Amino acid sequence: MRITFTCNGRLTEADGVWEGESLLYVLRERVGLPGSKNACEQGECGSCTVYLDGDPVCSCLVAAGQVQGREVRTVEGLADGDELDPVQQAFVEAGAVQCGFCTPGLLVQTHDLLERQAQPSDAEIREALSGNLCRCTGYEKIMDAVRLAAARRAESAERVN
Amino acid sequence: MTAEILGRGRARVEGPAKVTGAAKYAADLHPSGLAYGYLVLATVGRGTVTAVDAEAALASPGVLAVYSPFNPLKLYGGIVHSDQSFLGQNWLPLQDAEVRHHGQIVGLVVADTFEQARRGAALVRVVYDARPPVADFAAALPNAVSPGPINGEPDVLDLLAPGVPSIEAALAAAPVRAGGTYTQPPKNPVPLEPHATVAVWDQAGLTLHLGTQAAMPSALTVAAALGQDPARVRVLSEHVGGGFGGKLYTWAHPLLTAAAAQALGRPVKTVITHEQMFSVTGNRTPVHQTVELGASADGALQAVKHEAVSGLSTSGLIFEQAAHTTSRYLYKAPNIHVAQKVAMLDAPPSTWMRAPGEEPGSFALESAMDELAAKLNLDPVELRLRNYSTVVPGRGVPWSSKHLDECYRLGAARFGWNRRAQRPGSVREGDWLIGYGMASAAYPGNQFPYTMAKVRLRADGGAEVSSATADLGTGMRTVLSSVVAERLGLPGERVAAVLGDSVLPMNYGAFASAGTASTATAARAAASAAVAQLVQVAVQNAASPFHGLDPKDVVYAEGRLTGPGGLDAAFGELLTRIDVSGVEAQDGSAPPPDARNFAVHSFGAHFCEVRVHAWTSEVRLRRFTSVIDAGRIVNERTARSQIAGGLVFGIGQALFEGSVMEPASGRTANANLAEYLIPVNADVPVFDIQFLSHPDTNFNEFGARGIGELGTVGSAAAIANALFNATGRRVRDLPVTVDKLFG
């Protein structure tokens, strides 16, 4: 079948899709967006997290057929052109990136967390990100990155006001 | 400008690529005409494949081929026993019909899409003549055998004082004794990135995109197995999604994928699932240890006895060397006995995993030391200081640099160890019992022989350093760029680091915490050689303002050449002017220090606070202090992350991780991330990580030792000791789950 959806603001089509394959597979193997990572394929690790109609989902658990006519945003769509999103910038600066495999999912999840909760407590951050497994960092620099991103967003919000 | 490029926390150079999704891992490659492979795995634990019915699979849409023991892809067995081999197991897939363990490869299906290949694999019917596997580690213990020498020493090693007939006699004579039996299950490295292979053939030969810690050894292994000239096999691993030992060796599926791509005349991608990772790639073996310590009343150790039995897969290759890597040298004692055996198991291949040997060994020894401290009613830090070793027992050689005593003292002060209650179970906050624990860490300072690097100075004024190592998230790109930038006096961003390619200068790869000591020293030497080459070109090229000068009169500093009479040119300007695109040179690491003069280890001390719920026994970690003595720290930011990540491996060891093998079938029952638990964000406490700064120039010019595995050593013991301090309950079987603390 052909599926048509909006991906990172662009109308996107994929042909020859089997409706039972995952959104993750469509993104990675059919539309040339391998930024979302394929790790556990069972919704445990969060490496494949993308926005679907504004909600973070594990794209390995979303069937391709479910995406018809809907809106997807991946790690490739977080930056504004060459300008990194504050969450991306904070992950680089805080040293929250090691092997980088969990990073795309963590960025989307963190982006969502800060959209919903501008100033999360440490406990709220840990809980919100506990569905995103990381085997390298020990999580502490990820915590630093989320705090930094939250502070930056608050600063820029203040400037706008 | 550049003086402080080393040491401080320069941001990871590939960070922007990794946060935008631009960084390419093996599975992200998508050459045109790509087909997909999916493995068929054995569903019995031992036996023979008697028939494979591939008819339904071959009739299924998109399926291109079904390979099996009865329709194999040819592989050459000479590699199995070759010295050059980095093959992770002692047999090649599909070359015979034997089933050696549950979940081994018995087939490969290739199809136009991944789902078609997976569907095809489900339709392959494999018939077995099954036999019961030896898969019960506890039952196999009595049949354990000698593994042969360990690190050049006997597997049963007695270092006894003159006149002492046996370690038993030394123990019997000691007034205070402590110890016990310590056990732990098999584990899997579980890198987040599943092992992925994309094989592409063209006139030049095979290009294999492979998530590996060791590109060059992988290329040699694949070439030999496929019967190819090594010059025709190139392995690329630009980015690797974690390894932890599991991506050091070459496993069976890249060989089949490469052979299938050749047979089908199409690129083939095989990405194994996380579930398949548990049986197709290597595991850490289960370990059973007994430690007995004997001491005088003042806490001076009189006897240390440490015996370990590790599992070892009949498929090979590696077992945990738990006693020889820890009790052999950690404490000064007049009588030391270490012994190692292996129990053969029909299990998935056993391999290196972060801190192999030290991970289980330190749990046993450092738990036993805590038990001894409790019996002596002595502070555990004080007990360790009283038994501090300054020379290697039995060999008398000193360490190249050892400041473990400072780690203990500084760690205790930072942590507030003096607030620890000596009596277990005596501190309570509401419904929570509070406990403090500590342990030591030591891991060898390794350095590979023959590591090479190349540095190129370019006409655009930038430089490039290259070597065939990998960056699994360790920060190696950043370290190499920084080291060369410092030597050349350039800003870090002007020095690109290129790695992850088997055709680059010789490098074994990224493992054994040897990366910085090996590759960074080679890179620094190569940078010096490139500067010498630049000077030669400057004085020899007729168009150069330095032409005809004695090279001794030309000075390089901060990216510029200067000479008599006010001659001065940035090297980029000079190269542009003489129309040379760049100059380059290779050089190698200095040989490691002579083991007859020094022992080399990195050291550390961990302190941890736990909370245990009085009614449910739920365990929460509250904080960790680790003080690390690893020589000079090249980049504190990436180093810190290496230690924190290592500590989280220790947390996994202490509280969560373990493969559950069904004794009857040899199947790993929890081979997925839902049931094989690794620590999540909310499980992890606050870390206070402090580096001592004692450059170890006896080890290398740089003064840097390794840190990748050190955080994992001793951290589980620190947790278990804190749990004892909180509850009065000593758990010697890992992981410490709620049921073991309950009641």
Side-chain angles (χ1 to χ4, degrees):
Chain A
M1 65 181 283
R2 164 179 290 191
I3 60 167
T4 307
F5 60 108
T6 306
C7 189
N8 298 332
R10 276 196 214 141
L11 191 65
T12 302
E13 285 182 352
D15 280 315
V17 172
W18 172 54
E19 53 270 50
E21 69 193 35
S22 67
L23 168 59
L24 177 63
Y25 184 82
V26 171
L27 292 170
R28 290 180 51 80
E29 303 289 338
R30 297 196 186 273
V31 303
L33 293 173
S36 307
K37 296 300 177 230
N38 172 24
C40 75
E41 279 196 295
Q42 61 176 161
E44 283 294 333
C45 74
S47 305
C48 64
T49 305
V50 302
Y51 278 118
L52 178 62
D53 288 346
D55 292 323
V57 297
C58 287
S59 60
C60 71
L61 298 182
V62 176
Q66 292 176 280
V67 186
Q68 175 64 34
R70 298 174 74 179
E71 198 168 316
V72 174
R73 190 177 179 196
T74 71
V75 68
E76 289 98 335
L78 289 184
D80 184 3
D82 285 342
E83 190 171 336
L84 296 181
D85 183 88
V87 173
Q88 292 172 307
Q89 187 62 38
F91 267 64
V92 173
E93 283 180 34
V97 179
Q98 278 192 237
C99 87
F101 210 75
C102 67
T103 305
L106 266 165
L107 291 168
V108 173
Q109 197 69 42
T110 301
H111 191 272
D112 176 69
L113 167 67
L114 298 181
E115 289 286 314
R116 288 184 290 104
Q117 165 75 302
Q119 294 293 326
S121 68
D122 281 3
E124 286 168 331
I125 299 171
R126 288 200 188 275
E127 196 57 41
L129 300 185
S130 275
N132 292 79
L133 299 179
C134 170
R135 191 69 157 158
C136 297
T137 62
Y139 299 106
E140 68 162 0
K141 294 295 165 189
I142 292 170
M143 297 296 293
D144 288 349
V146 179
R147 293 183 201 113
L148 179 62
R152 292 255 174 86
R153 284 167 60 108
E155 263 171 41
S156 64
E158 238 166 61
R159 274 201 302 276
V160 171
N161 296 336
Chain B
M1 164 188 68
T2 52
E4 78 276 10
I5 194 165
L6 299 182
R8 78 190 156 88
R10 181 181 173 201
R12 189 174 298 268
V13 297
E14 78 281 13
K18 285 180 171 174
V19 297
T20 54
K24 291 283 187 293
Y25 301 73
D28 298 344
L29 276 296
H30 195 107
S32 69
L34 185 63
Y36 295 81
Y38 196 90
L39 301 174
V40 181
L41 304 187
T43 55
V44 302
R46 187 89 219 191
T48 309
V49 178
T50 55
V52 174
D53 178 358
E55 201 174 316
L58 286 166
S60 184
V63 171
L64 302 168
V66 176
Y67 301 105
S68 74
F70 304 108
N71 179 33
L73 291 152
K74 174 63 186 164
L75 300 173
Y76 293 87
I79 185 64
V80 172
H81 301 293
S82 158
D83 287 348
Q84 302 286 311
S85 176
F86 261 50
L87 188 67
Q89 57 190 43
N90 56 23
W91 51 273
L92 288 170
L94 308 189
Q95 307 304 298
D96 60 45
E98 192 175 345
V99 176
R100 295 162 174 89
H101 64 85
H102 200 286
Q104 82 162 52
I105 297 172
V106 292
L108 172 72
V109 176
V110 184
D112 286 325
T113 74
F114 173 77
E115 293 295 354
Q116 288 169 340
R118 172 145 65 180
R119 171 71 181 151
L123 293 171
V124 175
R125 215 165 57 80
V126 183
V127 184
Y128 303 94
D129 177 11
R131 299 192 299 277
V134 177
D136 184 341
F137 179 54
L141 286 174
N143 302 323
V145 296
S146 161
I150 310 254
N151 296 332
E153 293 190 315
D155 53 346
V156 180
L157 177 66
D158 279 295
L159 303 166
L160 302 176
V164 175
S166 69
I167 194 69
E168 301 303 341
L171 282 166
V176 184
R177 294 173 62 171
T181 296
Y182 305 86
T183 50
Q184 61 176 60
K187 299 193 192 77
N188 190 279
V190 199
L192 260 283
E193 180 201 33
H195 299 243
T197 305
V198 179
V200 186
W201 290 84
D202 60 19
Q203 317 83 290
L206 170 67
T207 301
L208 199 63
H209 302 272
L210 181 67
T212 177
Q213 298 173 232
M216 186 175 280
S218 299
L220 294 173
T221 301
V222 171
L226 297 182
Q228 293 286 323
D229 183 332
R232 284 176 52 78
V233 176
R234 180 179 189 183
V235 168
L236 294 172
S237 58
E238 187 184 1
H239 294 286
V240 183
F244 316 114
K247 289 177 185 159
L248 168 51
Y249 283 151
T250 308
W251 303 106
H253 61 287
L255 308 179
L256 292 177
T257 304
Q262 188 178 29
L264 295 169
R266 280 177 74 170
V268 176
K269 177 191 292 196
T270 305
V271 183
I272 65 171
T273 66
H274 258 261
E275 181 168 3
Q276 292 173 340
M277 192 191 291
F278 283 81
S279 67
V280 172
T281 73
N283 293 264
R284 191 199 291 280
T285 55
V287 191
H288 178 283
Q289 303 173 76
T290 56
V291 178
E292 290 177 73
L293 304 176
S296 55
D298 64 357
L301 283 168
Q302 301 301 312
V304 174
K305 179 186 179 191
H306 187 165
E307 299 193 323
V309 184
S310 302
L312 173 59
S313 167
T314 47
S315 292
L317 302 170
I318 302 302
F319 58 90
E320 298 290 311
Q321 306 176 353
H324 287 66
T325 55
T326 51
S327 298
R328 164 70 183 82
Y329 63 81
L330 194 55
Y331 295 109
K332 173 184 68 179
N335 301 287
I336 296 174
H337 165 95
V338 289
Q340 177 73 55
K341 286 184 175 178
V342 291
M344 302 306 295
L345 296 172
D346 296 324
S350 24
T351 200
W352 306 109
M353 182 170 152
R354 202 172 200 169
E358 290 84 359
E359 187 252 38
S362 63
F363 167 65
L365 173 61
E366 289 297 276
S367 291
M369 285 294 281
D370 200 66
E371 298 188 45
L372 180 62
K375 276 214 170 156
L376 290 161
N377 197 27
L378 187 65
D379 183 293
V381 172
E382 181 57 30
L383 175 65
R384 285 163 174 85
L385 286 169
R386 287 188 193 177
N387 292 287
Y388 196 73
S389 58
T390 53
V391 295
V392 177
R395 284 179 49 214
V397 297
W399 273 273
S400 56
S401 172
K402 178 177 180 179
H403 301 273
L404 178 56
D405 49 351
E406 192 179 339
C407 295
Y408 293 138
R409 293 193 174 103
L410 182 62
R414 291 180 74 90
F415 184 81
W417 181 252
N418 58 359
R419 294 197 298 272
R420 170 183 176 271
Q422 177 74 13
R423 192 164 63 84
S426 60
V427 180
R428 190 164 172 150
E429 290 177 11
D431 283 339
W432 293 89
L433 303 167
I434 310 297
Y436 287 10
M438 61 82 55
S440 324
Y443 188 82
N446 294 317
Q447 181 171 333
F448 301 133
Y450 319 122
T451 299
M452 298 293 292
K454 181 166 80 181
V455 168
R456 180 173 175 83
L457 303 171
R458 297 189 309 244
D460 67 3
E464 186 179 289
V465 53
S466 57
S467 187
T469 186
D471 190 335
L472 330 167
T474 51
M476 181 51 69
R477 270 189 187 81
T478 314
V479 164
L480 290 182
S481 168
S482 300
V483 163
V484 171
E486 191 219 30
R487 174 63 189 86
L488 296 177
L490 294 177
E493 62 271 16
R494 298 307 308 271
V495 181
V498 180
L499 40 77
D501 184 343
S502 62
V503 305
L504 295 174
M506 168 69 203
N507 199 309
Y508 283 98
F511 54 93
S513 299
T516 297
S518 308
T519 312
T521 54
R524 189 178 163 82
S528 295
V531 166
Q533 180 64 19
L534 174 72
V535 171
Q536 284 300 324
V537 169
V539 299
Q540 285 168 8
N541 189 294
S544 162
F546 299 89
H547 181 246
L549 289 175
D550 184 332
K552 287 200 288 292
D553 295 332
V554 180
V555 175
Y556 177 95
E558 304 279 315
R560 306 187 77 83
L561 288 181
T562 51
L567 281 172
D568 177 20
F571 74 79
E573 294 162 15
L574 174 73
L575 292 172
T576 302
R577 181 161 163 190
I578 64 175
D579 205 22
V580 171
S581 66
V583 296
E584 62 185 39
Q586 289 200 29
D587 207 341
S589 55
D594 191 332
R596 287 171 299 187
N597 299 332
F598 297 109
V600 185
H601 281 83
S602 289
F603 297 97
H606 305 299
F607 296 81
C608 125
E609 178 177 345
V610 300
R611 293 186 293 152
V612 181
H613 196 271
W615 308 114
T616 66
S617 292
E618 177 188 358
V619 174
R620 306 298 301 173
L621 302 180
R622 189 179 261 174
R623 62 197 178 99
F624 241 102
T625 291
S626 292
V627 179
I628 303 299
D629 167 33
R632 181 186 192 187
I633 297 301
V634 178
N635 181 315
E636 182 159 339
R637 185 196 305 229
T638 53
R640 193 186 153 85
S641 286
Q642 283 288 78
I643 296 297
L647 291 172
V648 171
F649 264 65
I651 294 170
Q653 179 194 7
L655 301 178
F656 301 108
E657 291 187 44
S659 296
V660 179
M661 194 174 278
E662 293 175 342
S665 68
R667 170 180 169 268
T668 300
N670 61 337
N672 60 73
L673 280 175
E675 293 164 290
Y676 181 97
L677 302 183
I678 64 174
V680 304
N681 201 324
D683 295 319
V684 169
V686 175
F687 294 127
D688 166 34
I689 296 165
Q690 182 71 26
F691 292 100
L692 302 185
S693 185
H694 299 293
D696 184 355
T697 48
N698 285 326
F699 183 40
N700 55 46
E701 169 204 10
F702 230 54
R705 293 192 302 262
I707 47 163
E709 303 176 77
L710 190 65
T712 301
V713 185
S715 37
I719 295 168
N721 295 343
L723 290 171
F724 172 77
N725 185 243
T727 66
R729 192 170 287 242
R730 174 70 58 183
V731 180
R732 302 187 182 95
D733 177 49
L734 297 181
V736 185
T737 44
V738 166
D739 52 302
K740 296 173 191 171
L741 287 171
F742 202 71

